Amino acid sequence: MSRPIARDTATDAFERRLVHMLSGALRTAEFHERDNQVAVEGVDGLYRALRERTETLGATAISTRNRHVFVDGERVRMGASDYLNLTSFIKTLDRWGVGSLTVLPGITRDELTAFIYGVARGRRDGDLATLQKRLIRDNVRSVELGAPTEEGFAEDPESLPVRTYGSCLEVMGELHTAIVGNRQIRTRRVRRVTQSVVDQMMRDEYALLALTTIKRFDDHLFSHSTNVAVLSVALGQRLGLQKSQLGELCLAAFMHDLGKIAVPKGILDKPGTLDDHEREEINQHPIHSVHILLNQGNLSQSTLRAIIGGFEHHINFDMSGYPLLSHKKGLTLFGRIITLADRFDAISTPRVYRETSFTPHQAIRHVIEHAGTQFDPELVGVFVRMIGLYPPGTVVGLSSGDVAVSIQPGQGDRSVDRPLVRIIKGNDIGVSRDLSETDDAGDYPLSIVGVYNPGNEGLFPAMDPESLRHF
Amino acid sequence: MSGQEEPPSARAMAQPGDESPAQMGVRSGPLGRPDSDERASHDLATEACAALYRAYRAARFYPANHPVAVESLDALSQTFARTLDEIGSLKLTVMPEAFLFGDQAVFGGDGIRDNIAELMFRDGIRSLTFHRGIEHEEVSEFVWTLVRAQEIGREEQDLATILWDCDFAHLDYSVTDPLLEGDDWEGKGQVLERFRADLLDKAAHPEHIDLGTPTATGPGEAGSLDDPANSIIMQEFSSEAISGQLENEPDVLFEFLEVLTEVLVTGSTDEEVGSASKAISDVLSSYLDWGEFGSLTLAVRRLQSISETTPARSTEITGILDGLASPDALRKSIFELDGKLAERRPQLEELLYLLRHAAYPSLVELLAEAGGKTSRKCILNVCTMGEGVPLPLVTAKMNDPRWYVVRNMVFMLGALGDPEAGSHLEGALDHPDERVRREAVRSLSGLGGPRANYLITSSLTDPAPSVRILAARALARLGQPDAAAAILTQITSKDFPGRDDTEVEVFFEALGEVADDRALPFLQDLWGGKTFLRSKPMAIRLGALKAMGRMATPEAMDILARASRAGDEELRRQARRSLLEAERRAANR
Ligand SMILES: [Fe+2]
Ligand SMILES: [Fe+2]
């Protein structure tokens, strides 16, 4: 449920525009050089706005907390359409550990440009002190940075995604036991873990995505459900859904396959082809999902969405698939998102009934080929830009002779087919390389020359073993 | 309001047995006395917690728009604003029964009712931080969230999950790790253990993997952006359009209903079909409850068409629609037509007509109870539309011991306009309650016809004046010449002059409408007031003149002309008025 926006005064609109311009300038700076026309115009506009405000009202502080942006302590009201812009802005600041920036009166255009490029072109693992040093070096004196006021988490933030992912597995185990024993599901617990998935996703989408590459033979339902939840929320976030919508989406995606618990395990895991009866049994699982959730008593809006998602997740974009429909004409957005996430995870997971496992690269190819028939093409486009053509977990051979695992799309403008990778075999094991980075001549020093199917499992875990330190 | 003054709401809402936290002797912190600056902050924090508690209590006991609830929320907003201006942000540590500010208790204690710290602690909240700039809507939403958390089913939601949905800008909170809580269940921890082992095994030892042979990729090949098949990736999309999609989707309940009807049709087990039917019933009654008659009509149409195309499910669908059309299901919606739903009558009528075969008995039942005009109108409209409600349903209620039930049935019979209804109304004329008999006269006059006229005429002798008056008026309106003798009999009866002036007047008026010259001798006699013993009462004499004015025959006018020279002033005036009336009527004939 979205809360009503109570106020939209002229000043508010000005602050909103200011944040938009700052966010836009930062994004432009990621891909364009300082003398690029778009970049120049972006910085010019921002400069004028900042001068106007600082000259009339003095130093201007822009800060973030709880995924909201504040100008001089006043929250800037954003509509649904601002969300994506806002998210990218907050992420940029988060990456540096910056909680606030204060622009002082008298800032020069050069300072502003240096500031924008200093922040936008940063390395991923930078921190506030690094950034401050860099800004001093670049003679930026009129922008002061501050640490976040948000309460830190008691635990090590590095291990949080793993804990969240693990909690999902655990809660799915609990759900499984409850359903098999014909007991009431505790959706409160499911909500708690799915909400923390959303929180994590808003903090760092690739940390959780990397964890979806741990494909597991046993407890397949547990990791599959978690993966579909993670992939759906990641996609939903890219689409600009709001936090509460992401919460509902995550819950629905997490529970989409509960109906499989009602299908005999012998059929689910049967190697080879299924006979008609067995196929029919499997095709009933979306209906079983509906049934299981219906019997949970209270039907809140999020449960309704989960029921709808569970029912729709094997119906294709062209309305083929199962269950067969008697009159239903269209699919919900959540249904289409979950279908895509579900299919991608299913294809890229090694299964006993498949002789050759697909690599994530083949899985994304399959998704692209079936855009418009199985999948909503618009969603496919966003999905591919999110995980790239070498999705996390893809094992690639590099032109250097090293073998690496893809972690996420690279930072440069050709990031979709040039991922950030971590070397797992060769000279620099453990080192990360961004294949979209160019050298001084504008060439790519490193390229992908082949894709491996390690151990016929299709992929290799993409997350950094370091992140498991405290787990 | 001055800074130190207690808000009036705090006094207004004080209830018996309800101590304010300030009086409860907040526990002092373990570190002895704080210094003066700290003490000032501590006092502010104590005051803010007390205001929070008061607002929470007010919100629990009063509706949102009640002045006490509104005032205590305003007071809380002001207290927060003052406190946060002073100390920047207010961080409270949540203990099982108290809030700590720093290491000092600022709220709580044993035996406090509705302890908000306890509520928060129970649901895993371990700290709360309010930041400067907190908005009134946030304060209010926070308080109402606490109230909701107290009332929701804890299997579904808790304070932590609903706070999360609120997404406050100026309020942070920390929650316990969901992994740490929760009840024990068979296999707890094992899933996680296996996951941990797997992770460490796989990710930590990449050198052991068997890579196999790579498939080559390169520019222009599959996987590269240069592949035209990948053009889809570069298509831009509008996030506004996507979030718009979500907002423009039919409401989630309707989508849900679509799914349920699919499951109803395709479900393979009795259990599945049964749970889908039940859920459909739930959705339909929610719609009914919310007055969403339009959506409900669509849903009912769909179910009815499925029932036709899928006979195997017609039993379930009949069951669903019967449930929807039961008196208990319909009661609230129909009676709310007399209140806030008044303007939705046409939609509800459409729906009820769609459900009529199942709904007729309920409608008859509810008509029995219906007090308001709009609800009765709605039921009557539906019951009289098309072929109309089967008569036996209505007549079966004619012997109901409740007078108003019979009255409403009588009303319905009249509205149905079925000539057969007349015979059922006859019994109602003998009903012990005159309100029923009055309604029967009204219904009969609506029906018309010789039998109805006869019955109305017989009511001229009803023991209740109000019924007699109604009957006389009905006869006058119907212009029944046959009734003249009966009216005259009443007028000339011995007790007539003793009756109420209105009745006397109405009877004479009625007589005037229906009588012919045969009545004139009696009327002349009456107005003239010639009796052997004493003169007739004035009301009778005036009434006779009035009646003749309405008859407007030449003979009647002759008499009136003579009467207009009468000695009595009042009679003279009435005679002249009646003469004018007679002339006007004669001219219009
Ligand atoms: Fe499935
Ligand atoms: Fe699935």
Side-chain angles (χ1 to χ4, degrees):
Chain A
M1 203 175 57
S2 62
R3 287 184 293 155
I5 292 174
R7 182 186 67 135
D8 193 5
T9 58
T11 34
D12 197 19
F14 179 83
E15 265 90 60
R16 195 163 137 181
R17 209 155 46 83
L18 186 69
V19 174
H20 268 282
M21 284 191 284
L22 181 54
S23 161
L26 284 167
R27 281 205 299 184
T28 311
E30 274 185 49
F31 303 111
H32 297 292
E33 295 308 322
R34 290 162 199 241
D35 52 1
N36 172 287
Q37 184 64 22
V38 181
V40 170
E41 281 170 15
V43 175
D44 275 347
L46 177 64
Y47 177 66
R48 276 195 302 272
L50 278 172
R51 283 298 290 237
E52 185 188 328
R53 199 177 194 286
T54 50
E55 271 162 23
T56 49
L57 297 169
T60 295
I62 299 172
S63 55
T64 69
R65 190 178 59 240
N66 290 359
R67 325 249 347 121
H68 296 278
V69 177
F70 302 81
V71 174
D72 287 339
E74 287 278 321
R75 170 154 55 133
V76 180
R77 312 265 180 166
M78 297 276 174
S81 53
D82 303 317
Y83 195 77
L84 216 54
N85 223 326
L86 201 66
T87 306
S88 105
F89 176 65
I90 292 171
K91 280 208 166 129
T92 308
L93 294 194
D94 276 0
R95 207 162 69 212
W96 286 110
V98 172
S100 69
L101 54 97
T102 306
V103 180
L104 305 176
I107 184 171
T108 65
R109 201 189 172 289
D110 283 349
E111 274 182 297
L112 184 61
T113 310
F115 170 74
I116 295 290
Y117 278 82
V119 174
R121 295 287 175 97
R123 278 174 54 84
R124 244 161 247 284
D125 49 358
D127 59 17
L128 184 53
T130 319
L131 182 60
Q132 273 164 333
K133 264 182 235 151
R134 179 194 294 209
L135 294 181
I136 290 168
R137 184 199 67 197
D138 294 347
N139 280 320
V140 180
R141 310 277 172 202
S142 304
V143 184
E144 290 172 355
L145 300 176
T149 55
E150 203 163 335
E151 285 177 44
F153 276 74
E155 290 118 307
D156 175 9
E158 289 278 292
S159 71
L160 273 174
V162 194
R163 288 192 72 84
T164 299
Y165 191 92
S167 307
C168 287
L169 296 178
E170 185 78 7
V171 168
M172 186 47 78
E174 188 180 327
L175 278 183
H176 187 276
T177 311
I179 291 167
V180 169
N182 225 343
R183 285 199 312 275
Q184 187 92 8
I185 292 177
R186 261 183 274 270
T187 30
R188 181 173 66 91
R189 306 251 298 132
V190 184
R191 264 176 232 280
R192 286 284 282 278
V193 294
T194 50
Q195 288 176 351
S196 69
V197 167
V198 175
D199 286 339
Q200 282 305 314
M201 188 59 73
M202 290 174 134
R203 224 164 263 143
D204 182 355
E205 70 183 324
Y206 291 110
L208 274 177
L209 283 173
L211 287 162
T212 66
T213 59
I214 325 276
K215 311 284 182 172
R216 314 195 48 231
F217 287 102
D218 51 348
D219 305 329
H220 170 255
L221 179 66
F222 303 179
S223 54
H224 171 64
S225 303
T226 308
N227 291 350
V228 174
V230 169
L231 289 163
S232 299
V233 172
L235 181 52
Q237 180 173 245
R238 288 283 179 129
L239 294 172
L241 299 186
Q242 294 176 49
K243 186 178 143 184
S244 59
Q245 294 171 325
L246 292 176
E248 289 186 344
L249 173 61
C250 193
L251 189 79
F254 187 60
M255 305 207 285
H256 79 282
D257 256 347
L258 287 187
K260 281 206 173 151
I261 297 172
V263 178
K265 217 166 156 41
I267 298 178
L268 281 181
D269 295 338
K270 185 183 167 188
T273 47
L274 300 171
D275 66 28
D276 284 354
H277 165 73
E278 291 163 338
R279 170 98 349 248
E280 184 50 38
E281 278 276 355
I282 297 240
N283 289 2
Q284 282 293 319
H285 85 266
I287 292 184
H288 296 325
S289 289
V290 173
H291 180 60
I292 288 168
L293 289 173
L294 279 182
N295 287 350
Q296 294 315 310
N298 197 357
L299 295 176
S300 61
Q301 167 157 311
S302 51
T303 313
L304 299 192
R305 291 215 192 272
I307 290 174
I308 299 166
F311 180 81
E312 290 184 340
H313 83 274
H314 285 284
I315 303 170
N316 295 320
F317 186 63
D318 60 10
M319 299 308 279
S320 61
Y322 63 88
L324 289 176
L325 300 174
S326 70
H327 58 269
K328 194 170 156 58
K329 294 282 184 298
L331 297 171
T332 59
L333 177 62
F334 280 15
R336 282 172 281 145
I337 292 174
I338 296 170
T339 304
L340 174 52
D342 173 62
R343 221 66 60 82
F344 177 77
D345 185 67
I347 302 167
S348 57
T349 303
R351 300 306 309 272
V352 279
Y353 46 77
R354 255 185 237 131
E355 265 179 34
T356 316
S357 300
F358 291 112
T359 64
H361 176 64
Q362 285 169 314
I364 198 71
R365 295 286 324 158
H366 171 94
V367 166
I368 293 169
E369 277 155 25
H370 293 87
T373 52
Q374 289 185 17
F375 311 114
D376 180 339
E378 207 168 27
L379 297 186
V380 170
V382 181
F383 191 70
V384 177
R385 281 201 294 273
M386 175 177 86
I387 60 171
L389 288 169
Y390 300 94
T394 310
V395 178
V396 294
L398 301 180
S399 48
S400 61
D402 292 334
V403 176
V405 59
S406 163
I407 298 168
Q408 63 186 66
Q411 292 242 285
D413 57 350
R414 295 264 315 213
S415 58
V416 173
D417 62 347
R418 291 192 159 269
L420 178 75
V421 300
R422 192 180 58 254
I423 294 172
I424 56 170
K425 222 163 195 167
N427 294 325
D428 298 317
I429 289 185
V431 172
S432 299
R433 301 295 299 269
D434 186 342
L435 304 187
S436 66
E437 268 175 17
T438 49
D439 58 20
D440 293 339
D443 297 324
Y444 296 107
L446 263 183
S447 292
I448 292 175
V449 294
V451 175
Y452 289 96
N453 185 345
N456 192 25
E457 288 193 11
L459 77 177
F460 185 79
M463 81 280 156
D464 184 354
E466 271 295 287
S467 66
L468 304 176
R469 256 178 328 186
H470 305 295
F471 179 58
Chain B
M1 189 189 309
S2 93
Q4 292 308 309
E5 216 174 64
E6 279 267 286
S9 52
R11 288 192 297 270
M13 70 157 293
Q15 293 174 349
D18 182 27
E19 318 112 292
S20 95
Q23 298 166 326
M24 267 180 310
V26 162
R27 288 183 294 186
S28 65
L31 295 181
R33 299 199 68 77
D35 69 27
S36 68
D37 246 18
E38 267 178 46
R39 196 160 53 237
S41 310
H42 174 274
D43 290 348
L44 282 169
T46 307
E47 197 193 326
C49 289
L52 173 62
Y53 177 71
R54 276 196 295 268
Y56 165 74
R57 292 274 289 173
R60 274 210 76 185
F61 294 106
Y62 297 97
N65 55 0
H66 190 281
V68 172
V70 172
E71 280 167 25
S72 61
L73 271 178
D74 286 347
L76 175 60
S77 279
Q78 286 164 20
T79 308
F80 269 161
R82 207 164 55 228
T83 306
L84 296 171
D85 261 356
E86 201 68 39
I87 61 177
S89 61
L90 173 65
K91 179 173 180 172
L92 302 171
T93 306
V94 182
M95 303 300 283
E97 286 176 336
F99 292 143
L100 303 186
F101 177 70
D103 48 19
Q104 305 279 313
V106 285
F107 173 82
D110 299 330
I112 175 170
R113 275 160 196 255
D114 277 337
N115 190 332
I116 41 178
E118 201 179 315
L119 167 70
M120 290 180 197
F121 194 87
R122 179 196 76 182
D123 285 355
I125 313 285
R126 291 297 176 265
S127 73
L128 280 176
T129 310
F130 300 92
H131 294 280
R132 182 181 292 165
I134 192 163
E135 295 148 18
H136 181 74
E137 303 100 273
E138 287 182 278
V139 171
S140 155
E141 195 174 350
F142 177 64
V143 169
W144 285 104
T145 302
L146 294 178
V147 174
R148 257 179 69 211
Q150 193 67 266
E151 289 160 2
I152 43 168
R154 289 199 74 244
E155 293 298 323
E156 262 285 298
Q157 293 263 23
D158 61 16
L159 181 57
T161 61
I162 47 183
L163 275 181
W164 188 91
D165 271 329
C166 294
D167 200 13
F168 291 114
H170 298 87
L171 169 60
D172 289 334
Y173 59 93
S174 65
V175 188
T176 50
D177 188 328
L179 265 192
L180 298 179
E181 62 144 43
D183 304 320
D184 280 340
W185 54 282
E186 194 194 331
K188 180 172 177 160
Q190 289 174 16
V191 182
L192 206 59
E193 248 340 290
R194 286 198 296 272
F195 173 60
R196 194 196 309 262
D198 244 35
L199 264 181
L200 295 173
D201 183 48
K202 276 189 180 162
H205 306 290
E207 58 278 10
H208 299 319
I209 51 166
D210 160 28
L211 288 173
T213 33
T215 48
T217 67
E221 287 177 39
S224 152
L225 271 187
D226 304 325
D227 182 346
N230 292 337
S231 62
I232 190 169
I233 304 163
M234 299 330 278
Q235 273 165 23
E236 272 307 324
F237 79 101
S238 135
S239 81
E240 229 157 312
I242 299 268
S243 23
Q245 274 180 35
L246 201 61
E247 270 143 40
N248 292 334
E249 272 178 8
D251 72 291
V252 61
L253 207 58
F254 202 80
E255 289 286 352
F256 177 56
L257 199 58
E258 293 258 289
V259 166
L260 293 175
T261 45
E262 290 290 347
V263 175
L264 181 71
V265 175
T266 52
S268 56
T269 65
D270 287 352
E271 225 196 325
E272 276 167 7
V273 171
S275 71
S277 308
K278 194 191 160 294
I280 292 174
S281 297
D282 290 346
V283 175
L284 298 187
S285 38
S286 302
Y287 274 139
L288 200 57
D289 214 39
W290 303 334
E292 299 274 343
F293 305 135
S295 307
L296 193 47
T297 301
L298 282 178
V300 169
R301 286 227 169 85
R302 163 132 323 151
L303 287 170
Q304 286 175 336
S305 87
I306 291 173
S307 177
E308 277 163 28
T309 52
T310 319
R313 290 291 177 263
S314 67
T315 317
E316 282 80 13
I317 292 174
T318 307
I320 294 168
L321 297 184
D322 283 354
L324 183 64
S326 73
D328 285 343
L330 293 178
R331 180 172 288 109
K332 179 169 167 276
S333 307
I334 290 183
F335 291 161
E336 271 179 0
L337 289 179
D338 298 320
K340 58 180 181 183
L341 293 186
E343 80 291 358
R344 299 208 194 153
R345 182 173 58 83
Q347 288 95 305
L348 183 56
E349 284 176 6
E350 187 187 354
L351 170 72
L352 292 173
Y353 188 66
L354 207 56
L355 287 170
R356 62 190 177 281
H357 297 299
Y360 277 145
S362 312
L363 291 178
V364 169
E365 181 69 45
L366 293 173
L367 179 63
E369 300 168 24
K373 250 186 173 165
T374 316
S375 58
R376 273 164 64 171
K377 188 169 169 71
C378 167
I379 296 177
L380 287 166
N381 282 350
V382 176
C383 285
T384 53
M385 239 183 267
E387 70 272 39
V389 59
L391 266 190
L393 279 179
V394 182
T395 56
K397 285 240 174 279
M398 295 293 284
N399 294 322
D400 196 285
R402 294 164 296 179
W403 71 267
Y404 53 89
V405 172
V406 184
R407 193 262 327 260
N408 286 351
M409 293 309 118
V410 167
F411 186 64
M412 168 92 89
L413 285 173
L416 277 172
D418 185 337
E420 231 182 274
S423 57
H424 297 288
L425 288 171
E426 187 173 350
L429 289 176
D430 294 327
H431 197 277
D433 195 296
E434 63 176 274
R435 287 166 289 195
V436 174
R437 302 202 297 276
R438 269 206 302 271
E439 200 61 58
V441 170
R442 274 195 210 103
S443 286
L444 283 167
S445 73
L447 279 181
R451 179 76 190 154
N453 291 338
Y454 168 77
L455 291 171
I456 298 171
T457 309
S458 72
S459 290
L460 289 173
T461 57
D462 192 281
S466 68
V467 180
R468 299 196 296 264
I469 289 174
L470 212 58
R473 282 201 174 124
L475 290 168
R477 199 169 50 251
L478 292 165
Q480 276 304 309
D482 297 349
I487 297 173
L488 204 52
T489 306
Q490 287 301 306
I491 286 177
T492 54
S493 70
K494 228 192 280 163
D495 72 315
F496 191 72
R499 294 188 195 175
D500 181 81
D501 282 359
T502 313
E503 185 179 351
V504 169
E505 193 178 345
V506 168
F507 266 67
F508 275 112
E509 281 170 3
L511 185 68
E513 296 294 341
V514 300
D516 57 22
D517 283 352
R518 279 174 294 175
L520 285 179
F522 298 95
L523 290 173
Q524 189 165 20
D525 192 32
L526 288 172
W527 97 260
K530 281 182 264 164
T531 54
F532 298 107
L533 297 172
R534 53 194 162 99
S535 61
K536 296 274 180 196
M538 187 51 91
I540 300 282
R541 302 178 71 181
L542 292 171
L545 291 174
K546 256 187 221 165
M548 287 185 287
R550 286 171 184 239
M551 286 167 67
T553 62
E555 260 184 74
M557 285 156 80
D558 270 355
I559 298 171
L560 287 172
R562 267 177 273 137
S564 61
R565 296 188 292 274
D568 183 89
E569 166 80 29
E570 205 178 351
L571 289 171
R572 222 165 41 230
R573 241 182 309 158
Q574 180 57 51
R576 281 190 201 130
R577 267 203 301 273
S578 291
L579 196 56
L580 282 175
E581 167 79 16
E583 280 163 1
R584 194 180 56 76
R585 287 183 175 228
N588 285 343
R589 261 187 207 134

